[in-house]
Amino acid sequence: MLDELAKLTLQRRIVVVKRFLNFVIQSQFGLRDSCQESISVTIVRVLNVKALATWEVDSVGNLTGIPASMYLMLVQAGKSSVETGTEIYINYGNKGNEELLYLYGFVVDNNPDDYLMVHYPVEALRQLQSADVKMKLIEMQKAELRCLLPTSLLDRGFLGTSTSSSEDDNKKNASHFSSYSWSGQRKVPSYLHKNVFPQEFLSTLRTIAMQEHELEQVASLLGEVGSSEDGEPSDAEIKSAIWEVCGDHGALGLLVDLLRVKMAELEEGTGTEASDSQLLEKFDFNDPDDSLSATVEGVEATKSRVNRRSCIVYRRGQKQLTRMFLREAERLLELSAEEQT
């Protein structure tokens, strides 16, 4: 098994976390019923590798005898039992570092499933002029005040490596804009195929960034339509009207501001992405004293060390994603300004 893992290590990024757990195991694991065993579980996060077992929750305690406890259940076909002493491999799935750190206590360096959350504060929205009108428009558009930006989105951005053609991507995304112009003067942006940000969130930012005279123009356009029986414009019609009047420039400017504020918050008290990298180099270079690892003090020191390193990896990853998405937003803003003039 170790040889197989060594081969997998060469092909895929593997993170191994050892935990020593005392829990009640089902009879299908080949252990005595209702017997507590101390088992060394090697928890491996491997891409595209099927897990041998999954964690299940016994909320009532019917199986384990302990309410709200957890146990392992075999999931691989053809496996009905596991010999005592066998290492059990489970897969946490495609999770970002925030979820891994909060729920499981570890992170993955350069996690391809990491993500960044960006949001516009409700408190700030309430302080805007015509806040009630804008909040109502956001609700009617079914738009969002926050969005998750997975790392994978960057593949099709300006900094990405996507090989799909611009023409194909434009056709795929043009549905957002196919009926967005009553006058025909608002054209589909040339950068549409490189826009990595969700349209639901951009719709929110367009609405928030509207000036008073633009609100009046939107109201005038919406007065000309009303496809539903009660005369209320649909969410698509509201998006169309706001797009016709405002375009992308105001929304992208607001997005750039949000990402810059997020970067400032991440760096406050912790330094830059480069300083985090330097700290990690020191952590990896200065190995703990093995002679102390068996002592109580050594175990606690190791836990503290792992926790601190995990926090640094997580925050550095957030700074990396913020920097890359900020560059995408700044480039979109530049192109939007060029096409608006």
Side-chain angles (χ1 to χ4, degrees):
M1 182 174 292
L2 291 177
D3 290 338
E4 294 175 0
L5 278 178
K7 294 177 182 178
L8 285 172
T9 305
L10 297 176
Q11 301 170 358
R12 302 178 178 90
R13 179 176 45 79
I14 300 176
V15 175
V16 180
V17 179
K18 284 196 173 182
R19 292 178 177 174
F20 294 88
L21 306 172
N22 289 320
F23 52 85
V24 179
I25 301 296
Q26 286 180 286
S27 59
Q28 63 174 314
F29 279 91
L31 301 179
R32 298 186 303 275
D33 291 341
S34 303
C35 175
Q36 287 193 345
E37 297 282 348
S38 179
I39 296 181
S40 174
V41 180
T42 302
I43 300 175
V44 185
R45 185 181 186 278
V46 186
L47 300 179
N48 303 321
V49 175
K50 192 171 183 179
L52 174 64
T54 60
W55 286 111
E56 301 293 335
V57 177
D58 187 0
S59 56
V60 180
N62 291 334
L63 181 65
T64 65
I66 305 173
S69 59
M70 298 182 70
Y71 62 93
L72 285 173
M73 175 178 288
L74 291 177
V75 295
Q76 277 194 7
K79 290 281 186 180
S80 59
S81 64
V82 175
E83 294 182 3
T84 302
T86 300
E87 288 181 302
I88 301 172
Y89 299 97
I90 66 174
N91 192 318
Y92 281 95
N94 302 327
K95 300 183 185 299
N97 276 344
E98 182 172 340
E99 188 175 0
L100 290 174
L101 182 60
Y102 181 75
L103 295 178
Y104 306 110
F106 72 97
V107 295
V108 177
D109 289 67
N110 302 314
N111 188 347
D113 300 311
D114 216 354
Y115 54 82
L116 183 73
M117 189 185 77
V118 182
H119 77 286
Y120 191 91
V122 177
E123 296 78 10
L125 176 56
R126 288 172 178 160
Q127 295 175 10
L128 296 176
Q129 191 173 5
S130 303
D132 292 340
V133 175
K134 291 182 177 181
M135 292 176 71
K136 181 63 176 178
L137 286 172
I138 291 171
E139 180 183 347
M140 294 176 70
Q141 292 176 83
K142 301 180 177 65
E144 302 288 343
L145 284 173
R146 66 180 63 194
C147 70
L148 292 180
L149 302 174
T151 303
S152 58
L153 287 178
L154 293 166
D155 291 340
R156 61 182 179 86
F158 294 102
L159 308 177
T161 57
S162 176
T163 57
S164 59
S165 67
S166 299
E167 183 178 352
D168 291 341
D169 285 332
N170 272 329
K171 289 180 180 178
K172 187 186 302 182
N173 295 310
S175 59
H176 289 295
F177 298 90
S178 58
S179 61
Y180 269 31
S181 182
W182 276 278
S183 65
Q185 296 179 359
R186 183 72 67 182
K187 304 298 183 182
V188 175
S190 63
Y191 52 80
L192 179 60
H193 66 289
K194 289 294 185 180
N195 183 2
V196 301
F197 299 98
Q199 286 297 325
E200 292 79 6
F201 189 58
L202 289 179
S203 294
T204 295
L205 298 184
R206 289 189 194 103
T207 305
I208 293 173
M210 277 195 296
Q211 303 298 316
E212 287 300 302
H213 70 280
E214 292 174 328
L215 268 175
E216 294 175 1
Q217 294 177 48
V218 168
S220 177
L221 287 176
L222 292 177
E224 301 173 7
V225 298
S227 58
S228 60
E229 294 181 358
D230 58 3
E232 288 287 333
S234 66
D235 59 324
E237 289 167 342
I238 296 173
K239 291 177 182 178
S240 299
I242 295 175
W243 161 254
E244 170 79 7
V245 172
C246 305
D248 278 337
H249 192 260
L252 292 172
L254 192 53
L255 178 59
V256 168
D257 290 341
L258 289 175
L259 289 169
R260 287 175 177 170
V261 169
K262 187 170 186 69
M263 180 63 84
E265 291 175 346
L266 287 169
E267 292 180 345
E268 184 178 2
T270 65
T272 63
E273 182 184 331
S275 64
D276 287 336
S277 296
Q278 291 175 355
L279 284 174
L280 289 175
E281 288 178 3
K282 292 180 181 179
F283 264 94
D284 297 336
F285 181 76
N286 298 321
D287 294 328
D289 188 350
D290 293 336
S291 63
L292 299 176
S293 59
T295 66
V296 174
E297 294 80 4
V299 171
E300 292 301 319
T302 300
K303 288 181 180 179
S304 176
R305 177 186 176 85
V306 170
N307 289 340
R308 281 183 289 148
R309 188 185 187 282
S310 295
C311 290
I312 297 172
V313 170
Y314 165 69
R315 78 186 186 208
R316 184 183 67 168
Q318 290 293 289
K319 292 172 186 176
Q320 288 174 336
L321 286 176
T322 303
R323 170 176 53 81
M324 290 187 286
F325 278 112
L326 177 57
R327 289 176 63 182
E328 293 286 341
E330 289 174 338
R331 181 57 180 151
L332 289 172
L333 181 60
E334 292 174 3
L335 294 174
S336 174
E338 292 174 3
E339 296 189 9
Q340 188 164 299
T341 56

